Amino acid sequence: MRNYKLVLNSSQSALSSQPQLKALPPLSLYIHFPWCEKKCPYCDFNSHQIKDVTSSSPQGFDEVRYINALIADLETELPRTWGRQVHSIFIGGGTPSLLSAKGMDRLLSDIRARVHLEPDCEITMEANPGSVETEKFTAFAKSGINRISLGIQSFQDAQLKALGRIHNGAEAKRAIEIALEHFKSVNLDLMYGLPNQSLEDAKADVETALSFKTPHLSFYNLTLEPNTYFASFPPKLPSEDEIDAIFEQNLALLEAAGYRRYEVSAYAKKDQECKHNLNYWRFGDYIGIGAGAHGKISFPDRITRQVRERHPQTYMEAMETKGNALIESRDIPAKDLPFEFMLNVLRLSDGVDTATFSERTGLPLNVIAKPLNEASQKALLDPHPSKLKATPQGLRYLNNLQELFL
């Protein structure tokens, strides 16, 4: 059992002063693409359905204008990250695969001209099966995309219809086949706990996903998020006991197929974990550009967060008229850093070394001695003194564990 000696005065002093970082963490780049062909009823992400498809705007959005805004946005961040290599890029949304091949090539070329990418930089793009085109995927791969994340959700037509998806099961399977032909790494997003989903339904989805042998799979429990259509008009979902049974079944199937659960919702074959998301969960840094994007940048004496304008039109207008689209830019108070750090790292099945806490927050470990001991006593935290790692029970009741550090 843990037994950290809490030196109260020094802890209080540390939380009232600025953090002191001896080294900066890895740096990633997140790019938000805010448009979708259709807004899904469960989605609470910053995505906007395309409405105005015209001859002058056949895609339904002004691609050139938005990319111009993205690159200008990136340039505003260069003085804050000068000299640092970018460890990974993630293009999320929305549906970034709606970008044209030319647009994606220009975006990545302009990024390379402005920031130094690590030689093995992971570049991920999210895509939906309904927007998959063989020629476009070939071009995306040539532009530098080396990892694709497909929003499959289910392979069953009835479930896809209930979720408001625009693809069917056959299109989902074809999209995976195309992706495997063109990209070094492929992730499949699947949901469970779907409307009227049975244990057998969930098993069929998992077994179909496993048949493609992709190196990475993500499994999310469908939740009814505020300000979504499903929140206002909730579908009939399985009971908590049924959802638990589905999860345990999924976990057993994945482990038997050689996938390791390395994060709450992420499973990977050996050495195939998502570098970008690992950087988030290890409290690394990331530039966030695009409508509604969030960013976190560390300095030797402070850690900062930023938020951009949420609506794409407002975002582009702000970049064009003011030269930035920030609606928030602040230093994280030292008293908030322990919770922000633990909120992320406790999602990891392996956790992190205790030394990582001081490396990434600039604070001594004794500032969280009390919640560490409490979490260990409740069997939510691994008692090993050199690790910050949730127990299997801690992962199961992750919200309860994280709240101890609030």
Side-chain angles (χ1 to χ4, degrees), residues 131-319:
S131 61
V132 170
E133 298 174 26
T134 306
E135 289 183 9
K136 197 186 269 192
F137 267 32
T138 302
F140 287 159
K142 288 180 179 178
S143 295
I145 302 292
N146 52 33
R147 184 175 183 274
I148 198 89
S149 181
L150 288 171
I152 302 296
Q153 315 314 355
S154 176
F155 292 96
Q156 299 171 49
D157 291 349
Q159 292 289 4
L160 290 168
K161 185 176 181 180
L163 291 172
R165 305 295 286 170
I166 61 173
H167 66 275
N168 58 35
E171 289 170 331
K173 294 172 185 176
R174 179 59 182 147
I176 299 169
E177 292 169 353
I178 297 170
L180 287 169
E181 290 173 5
H182 292 93
F183 300 101
K184 180 180 177 182
S185 184
V186 176
N187 169 62
L188 307 182
D189 277 349
L190 286 182
M191 283 184 169
Y192 66 94
L194 305 181
N196 299 304
Q197 187 179 44
S198 69
L199 201 60
E200 285 303 310
D201 290 337
K203 184 179 182 180
D205 272 346
V206 174
E207 290 179 336
T208 302
L210 292 175
S211 71
F212 289 98
K213 297 181 171 59
T214 61
H216 194 286
L217 295 167
S218 300
F219 283 88
Y220 303 97
N221 182 14
L222 174 62
T223 55
L224 305 184
E225 301 291 352
N227 304 314
T228 63
Y229 180 85
F230 272 1
S232 301
F233 304 95
K236 179 176 171 50
L237 300 181
S239 67
E240 287 190 20
D241 287 345
E242 289 172 322
I243 289 172
D244 285 345
I246 290 172
F247 171 75
E248 294 298 336
Q249 171 187 257
N250 288 357
L251 184 59
L253 289 168
L254 288 161
E255 288 179 346
Y259 291 83
R260 191 176 73 91
R261 186 190 188 197
Y262 71 95
E263 188 268 344
V264 169
S265 302
Y267 303 76
K269 293 289 185 72
K270 183 177 172 56
D271 299 325
Q272 293 297 316
E273 296 86 356
C274 176
K275 289 173 61 176
H276 187 88
N277 286 340
L278 279 175
N279 193 38
Y280 285 154
W281 296 321
R282 290 171 177 162
F283 210 52
D285 281 354
Y286 51 96
I287 301 168
I289 60 174
H294 291 233
K296 168 189 172 283
I297 304 294
S298 299
F299 298 88
D301 61 346
R302 67 191 190 282
I303 300 173
T304 66
R305 284 205 182 277
Q306 294 181 333
V307 184
R308 264 87 175 152
E309 290 279 1
R310 184 174 175 83
H311 195 279
Q313 293 301 324
T314 309
Y315 168 78
M316 290 186 288
E317 289 168 4
M319 288 307 309

